[in-house]
């Protein structure tokens, strides 16, 4: 089964003894792999919400300009 998301763990298959702890080699506020996965889901939901809001706004403007609801609804 193909994966939907890529592997966000940058350590790869290295043994745990050679993997740096957060803050050892880089910035202290580096997000974890779990946080990256959660953020991917939240961004997708926010994009979907924004697209629905834009569609509904366009539908409202269409109704305000023509008096018809569109899609063959109403007269």
């Amino acid at each position: 089964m193909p994966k939907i998301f890529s592997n966000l763990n940058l350590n790869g298959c290295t043994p745990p003894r050679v993997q740096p702890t957060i803050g050892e080699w880089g910035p202290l506020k580096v997000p974890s792999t779990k946080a990256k996965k959660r953020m991917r889901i939240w961004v997708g939901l926010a994009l979907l919400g924004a697209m629905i809001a834009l569609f509904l706004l366009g539908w409202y403007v269409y109704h305000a300009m023509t008096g018809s609801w569109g899609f063959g609804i109403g007269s």
Side-chain angles (χ1 to χ4, degrees):
M1 180 172 176
K3 286 185 164 184
I4 295 175
F5 297 131
S6 62
N7 185 8
L8 299 176
N9 185 1
L10 298 179
N11 294 326
C13 59
T14 58
R17 59 185 164 78
V18 298
Q19 294 176 6
T21 57
I22 293 179
E24 185 179 353
W25 290 356
L28 293 175
K29 296 185 180 183
V30 174
S32 66
T33 303
K34 241 182 196 182
K36 291 177 195 175
K37 287 182 181 179
R38 280 194 309 265
M39 190 54 61
R40 278 186 173 180
I41 292 170
W42 280 113
V43 166
L45 291 174
L47 179 63
L48 179 65
M51 288 171 37
I52 290 172
L54 282 174
F55 173 78
L56 292 175
L57 176 65
W59 198 12
Y60 172 75
V61 169
Y62 175 80
H63 172 66
M65 292 176 66
T66 64
S68 171
W69 286 106
F71 303 113
I73 301 172
S75 57

